[in-house]
Amino acid sequence: MKKIFFSLIFLNAFLTQAQSVTPENQIEFVDFKKVNAEVSIYPELAKIDGNVNYSFDVLKAVDSFFVDTEDMTFEKVMLNGKETNFRLAEDKIWIKRKLTPSEENTLQLKYSGTPKQTMYFINWDKENSEEISKQVWTQGQGRYTSHWLPSFDDVREKAIFNLTINFKKDYQVIANGKLENEKVLNDSIKQWSFSMQDPMSSYLVAIAAGDYSSKELQSAGGVPISLYYEPKDENLVEPTYRYSQKIFDFLVEEIGVDFPWQNYKQIPVEDFLYAGMENTGTTIFSESMLTDSIGFKDQNYVNVNAHELAHQWFGDLVTEAEGKHHWLQEGFATYYALLAEKQIFGEDYYYWKLYETAEQLKKMSDRGEGEALLNPKASSLTFYQKGAWALHILREQLGDEAFKTGIKNYLKLYSFSNVSTDDFLKEMENVSGQDLSQFRKDWLEQSAFKANVALNSLEKSAFIRQYLDVAAVREQSVGTKYNVLNGALDFPVNDYVGQEVVMQLQGATAQEAIDLYRKAFETGNIFVRQAIASSMKEVPQTLKSEFEDLLNDDSYLTKEYALMTLWTNFPQERSKYLSKTRNIQGFYDKNVRMLWLTLNLVTPEFDAGNSKANYAELSGYTQTKYPFEVRQNAFSYLFQIDAFSDQNLKDLMQGTQHHTYRFRDFCRQLLKELLTYDKYLEKIQNISSSFSKKEWDYFQSQLK
């Protein structure tokens, strides 16, 4: 009997023997529940230090476990209140301790670091001035929060994150969750404490700090909404955030599930990597989305606003289990943003956007480059637009009631957890009673785009049918299709059909074309007139006065196109056009102003006495204190007039190392082009002693 007893003890000990975890399977062994972090940020030094306390359960016996970290040093590591052994790997801190299944374990990490990415320090090396924004912000997706906060790169590990941030007291700090407390620590530092109620993946943890004020709203359901802005941009608040509350209330009703977080905040930041990012309850978006009422007509924040808000359910509340299910986040956010825009801009807008993306997807498919939605390496066009199309088709197949009920059930069943495509389809099948295996094959697994199915769906719109009728005559002469085009311009002209008519007239000079152009001008439709401004390169004398009137339109795009075309077509009246547009700035990137400065510099008969000052202004916009969109525009115009100063070239070299990849790639391509010219090669070599090591190394790599 004793032998049997001891054998059972030995067997039990063997079965509970600690096992080694891997980055792929740790969540099967260890479950982190809560993260309480205090982080001090030193923006002038681009450094941080922090103290993080984790509570976790051990699900299975382990001999070690890890937390993801990047380039950090650790002063203290304590497990369950006692100092413990640890090992630093390339991107992890491994805690070397055997643990048996247990609850409410604690881990404390006291650390410091200099984030190389994910946390960005904007303009803290610059002098203080009204035009310079000094900010700190984070972007965790694709870069990982573990660069500034020891956390979890695995999206399947969800925890409640409570953040306490210590920062310069003259600024404002925003982070996920409810602001529980603010207190001044000393003459220069203030502390902000935030709490969360529910778990989320680490990549959704975010902070932003800067000189911010906010406009406070409340949703129909009572959720607090904070719209942040810098005081210098106060006049842009209304047009930028226009429809924010309407979008919020619409999505809550359409999705059928209450907003899942305590509050919602939106913060614009300079030099952001993308258009926006759906951090939990805390969307950070590019400052370039800021607009006034004129710019709103051309480009606005509405789509990004709705897209990132939709992610609060699709991505934040329910999160993809792995990359092959990425469409469950981006396709859903794209689709629901489009539904919100339909509420604001109308059904024609909705179908037009579907038509545009169908054209893009068809072209990609026709080139043999189509991608399956379940391909984890698919492009953004696939994840976002093909994903939205799949949902549009699925809704038509199931009907509104079943579709909305299925979405609601799916979100409620998988709240605060990770999902796969099978999870989603199962709920939709349960509600509808339909077998969705064919839908899965056609829209999720097939690489080709179902263009015929898409066309049949689009043709349910009377507007699309009208548009396709007009588009069908593109190859005909103006005389032959005159009646079709003329009828399409009858009041009230459709924005998109009217633009199609104008684009078909491009380059035509027959009297029929002149008559149609005149009718297009007279529609007063700002988008039809914008199409004229962008497409008419040679202005007939008989339409000169109508074309000049485009400079009065409330559209910065129209003003930019019209100024360039008039300056080119009527050189004897250049001074008149430049005088009329002297004080127009345009969009965030100063599109009209920079065109004006450039045209001024190549129009010697106009404003010659101010040429030096005008060049200084244009040239000055490449400086590192300006947002990258402004700098890029300035570089482009200086290239066109071949007018780079030594400082411009230094600024360009700095741009080749910029954290925003789009601007970095632009600068590298421009540098490559300049190095083909002997004079610029010599100039750049002469200033190379001023380059940083990274700039010098990159420059040398381009000479090989």
Side-chain angles (χ1 to χ4, degrees):
M1 188 70 176
K2 288 183 179 180
K3 288 184 179 180
I4 296 175
F5 178 76
F6 284 112
S7 296
L8 289 172
I9 292 178
F10 177 78
L11 178 61
N12 184 62
F14 176 80
L15 291 175
T16 59
Q17 181 177 337
Q19 300 182 54
S20 297
V21 303
T22 67
E24 291 75 29
N25 71 8
Q26 175 164 282
I27 64 168
E28 300 172 14
F29 294 83
V30 178
D31 181 17
F32 285 90
K33 296 293 189 179
K34 185 175 288 189
V35 180
N36 294 320
E38 180 177 348
V39 181
S40 297
I41 303 173
Y42 310 100
E44 292 91 348
L45 302 174
K47 291 184 176 181
I48 56 171
D49 61 47
N51 194 350
V52 192
N53 290 278
Y54 310 81
S55 62
F56 64 96
D57 296 343
V58 179
L59 308 177
K60 300 177 184 178
V62 295
D63 57 12
S64 64
F65 64 97
F66 67 86
V67 175
D68 292 299
T69 70
E70 292 279 355
D71 299 312
M72 294 177 183
T73 57
F74 292 86
E75 180 182 332
K76 181 186 292 185
V77 179
M78 300 187 71
L79 179 64
N80 293 327
K82 297 180 181 179
E83 290 196 23
T84 189
N85 293 328
F86 67 93
R87 177 176 64 86
L88 288 178
E90 181 180 359
D91 57 359
K92 291 173 176 55
I93 179 170
W94 285 89
I95 310 304
K96 308 292 289 183
R97 180 75 67 85
K98 290 184 177 181
L99 293 172
T100 57
S102 53
E103 296 180 350
E104 297 183 3
N105 295 278
T106 62
L107 173 68
Q108 180 186 5
L109 301 178
K110 191 172 183 180
Y111 70 97
S112 60
T114 305
K116 295 179 181 178
Q117 59 185 41
T118 308
M119 178 176 281
Y120 298 93
F121 305 87
I122 307 299
N123 290 331
W124 293 95
D125 57 344
K126 311 290 191 308
E127 296 289 332
N128 290 330
S129 76
E130 290 185 1
E131 68 175 347
I132 294 177
S133 298
K134 293 193 172 185
Q135 301 170 347
V136 175
W137 48 263
T138 61
Q139 166 55 20
Q141 189 172 45
R143 296 289 184 266
Y144 301 119
T145 297
S146 56
H147 283 266
W148 66 274
L149 177 69
S151 49
F152 320 104
D153 292 346
D154 189 338
V155 299
R156 297 172 299 171
E157 182 63 84
K158 288 175 176 268
I160 296 173
F161 288 84
N162 299 316
L163 300 180
T164 296
I165 307 298
N166 303 323
F167 196 74
K168 300 167 75 68
K169 71 179 182 68
D170 294 331
Y171 293 84
Q172 179 70 38
V173 170
I174 306 113
N176 314 91
K178 180 181 178 182
L179 178 60
E180 297 286 1
N181 188 44
E182 295 179 69
K183 66 179 179 180
V184 176
L185 299 183
N186 55 45
D187 290 344
S188 60
I189 302 298
K190 186 176 178 181
Q191 184 177 85
W192 291 260
S193 298
F194 300 86
S195 70
M196 290 291 291
Q197 294 178 334
D198 295 299
M200 61 178 172
S201 302
S202 293
Y203 78 91
L204 297 167
V205 178
I207 64 167
D211 180 18
Y212 287 109
S213 299
S214 67
K215 179 179 179 179
E216 301 299 318
L217 304 174
Q218 196 171 73
S219 75
V223 177
I225 303 171
S226 299
L227 311 176
Y228 285 90
Y229 62 93
E230 292 186 311
K232 65 182 175 63
D233 297 319
E234 186 172 9
N235 65 321
L236 306 180
V237 172
E238 189 285 321
T240 296
Y241 289 115
R242 191 175 295 170
Y243 304 119
S244 286
Q245 186 172 349
K246 182 174 182 177
I247 292 169
F248 191 103
D249 291 339
F250 167 77
L251 287 178
V252 170
E253 182 179 355
E254 173 65 28
I255 293 169
V257 175
D258 288 343
F259 184 74
W261 314 105
Q262 297 143 285
N263 51 30
Y264 187 54
K265 311 160 194 175
Q266 298 182 76
I267 311 103
V269 300
E270 185 175 310
D271 286 353
F272 198 52
L273 278 68
Y274 311 107
M277 175 61 199
E278 68 277 9
N279 311 294
T280 304
T282 310
T283 286
I284 293 177
F285 67 97
S286 171
E287 231 177 45
S288 65
M289 295 287 167
L290 298 175
T291 185
D292 60 17
S293 290
I294 295 176
F296 181 90
K297 298 178 180 70
D298 299 318
Q299 54 187 46
N300 54 60
Y301 176 54
V302 172
N303 178 264
V304 175
N305 188 343
H307 183 99
E308 306 308 337
L309 180 56
H311 269 308
Q312 300 299 318
W313 289 268
F314 305 102
D316 297 7
L317 177 61
V318 293
T319 309
E320 65 189 43
E322 57 179 313
K324 70 179 293 187
H325 307 295
H326 194 48
W327 82 282
L328 293 175
Q329 296 180 186
E330 298 303 347
F332 277 66
T334 302
Y335 175 68
Y336 278 92
L338 191 52
L339 291 179
E341 288 182 289
K342 182 167 73 170
Q343 289 296 112
I344 296 167
F345 301 125
E347 188 172 277
D348 288 357
Y349 178 94
Y350 174 80
Y351 276 102
W352 176 251
K353 289 300 179 182
L354 284 176
Y355 172 77
E356 282 189 316
T357 58
E359 287 286 286
Q360 292 175 296
L361 290 163
K362 182 178 183 302
K363 288 178 181 177
M364 184 169 75
S365 184
D366 290 346
R367 295 194 303 267
E369 299 172 359
E371 298 167 321
L373 265 176
L374 296 182
N375 175 1
K377 297 182 179 179
S379 64
S380 294
L381 180 62
T382 297
F383 283 134
Y384 288 63
Q385 307 303 343
K386 191 174 183 180
W389 256 106
L391 291 171
H392 171 79
I393 293 296
L394 182 61
R395 186 172 191 153
E396 288 192 336
Q397 179 177 329
L398 302 186
D400 281 356
E401 184 178 351
F403 181 85
K404 292 180 72 171
T405 302
I407 293 293
K408 183 177 180 178
N409 291 353
Y410 162 70
L411 288 173
K412 288 191 171 184
L413 180 61
Y414 295 105
S415 290
F416 311 112
S417 54
N418 297 86
V419 290
S420 69
T421 298
D422 286 342
D423 296 327
F424 169 66
L425 292 179
K426 181 179 179 182
E427 289 311 303
M428 303 310 280
E429 287 182 332
N430 287 343
V431 166
S432 67
Q434 293 189 28
D435 180 357
L436 296 180
S437 57
Q438 191 60 47
F439 168 82
R440 180 188 180 105
K441 291 177 182 177
D442 290 345
W443 288 95
L444 308 182
E445 297 176 346
Q446 183 172 301
S447 59
F449 179 65
K450 303 286 287 186
N452 289 335
V453 176
L455 179 61
N456 290 336
S457 175
L458 288 168
E459 287 184 334
K460 294 175 183 177
S461 162
F463 146 64
I464 289 293
R465 293 197 300 273
Q466 180 193 14
Y467 175 83
L468 292 175
D469 286 343
V470 175
V473 302
R474 285 176 183 170
E475 302 304 318
Q476 297 178 16
S477 67
V478 173
T480 303
K481 61 186 176 183
Y482 177 85
N483 289 336
V484 174
L485 301 186
N486 185 59
L489 292 174
D490 285 345
F491 182 84
V493 65
N494 179 279
D495 294 347
Y496 312 107
V497 175
Q499 290 177 74
E500 172 65 25
V501 171
V502 169
M503 298 310 290
Q504 290 192 34
L505 296 176
Q506 187 172 1
T509 58
Q511 186 58 47
E512 294 99 326
I514 300 299
D515 292 342
L516 288 168
Y517 268 125
R518 185 165 282 113
K519 187 173 182 179
F521 275 116
E522 291 171 354
T523 64
N525 182 295
I526 198 165
F527 300 109
V528 174
R529 290 167 63 86
Q530 188 181 99
I532 299 173
S534 66
S535 63
M536 184 180 283
K537 303 308 179 187
E538 295 185 8
V539 181
Q541 189 68 36
T542 55
L543 294 176
K544 179 171 177 286
S545 61
E546 287 91 341
F547 201 94
E548 288 176 335
D549 189 52
L550 292 172
L551 291 175
N552 297 316
D553 279 20
D554 284 344
S555 163
Y556 291 133
L557 282 177
T558 300
K559 291 178 188 294
E560 180 185 1
Y561 296 143
L563 175 58
M564 184 72 247
T565 301
L566 288 167
W567 185 91
T568 303
N569 277 258
F570 306 107
Q572 71 281 6
E573 297 188 61
R574 287 173 175 173
S575 295
K576 179 175 76 172
Y577 305 134
L578 290 171
S579 295
K580 185 174 180 62
T581 55
R582 180 188 294 272
N583 298 315
I584 302 173
Q585 295 293 316
F587 299 125
Y588 182 82
D589 66 355
K590 301 181 183 291
N591 67 312
V592 180
R593 180 61 180 171
M594 287 203 209
L595 173 61
W596 187 92
L597 289 168
T598 303
L599 295 180
N600 176 287
L601 293 171
V602 294
T603 309
E605 68 273 17
F606 176 76
D607 203 25
N610 290 315
S611 292
K612 187 174 181 179
N614 289 329
Y615 173 74
E617 181 182 348
L618 177 63
S619 178
Y621 285 133
T622 69
Q623 295 177 72
T624 58
K625 68 180 181 180
Y626 289 107
F628 79 81
E629 295 91 346
V630 173
R631 299 177 65 195
Q632 182 167 317
N633 217 8
F635 281 130
S636 296
Y637 278 116
L638 289 168
F639 178 71
Q640 289 182 43
I641 61 175
D642 191 22
F644 288 100
S645 68
D646 285 354
Q647 185 59 53
N648 296 143
L649 296 173
K650 291 179 183 179
D651 294 338
L652 181 64
M653 283 304 306
Q654 187 276 343
T656 65
Q657 306 304 309
H658 200 272
H659 66 264
T660 304
Y661 73 95
R662 289 168 293 163
F663 181 58
R664 180 177 66 239
D665 292 348
F666 168 86
C667 290
R668 291 182 175 186
Q669 186 59 42
L670 180 55
L671 175 67
K672 183 177 180 180
E673 178 67 23
L674 292 181
L675 290 176
T676 64
Y677 298 90
D678 290 341
K679 69 172 183 177
Y680 282 122
L681 174 59
E682 183 178 353
K683 272 190 169 188
I684 295 171
Q685 287 175 326
N686 288 340
I687 62 172
S688 61
S689 61
S690 67
F691 295 167
S692 68
K693 185 179 186 305
K694 284 185 177 180
E695 292 166 5
W696 168 261
D697 290 343
Y698 183 75
F699 174 55
Q700 292 300 307
S701 73
Q702 298 306 295
L703 298 179
K704 296 177 181 177

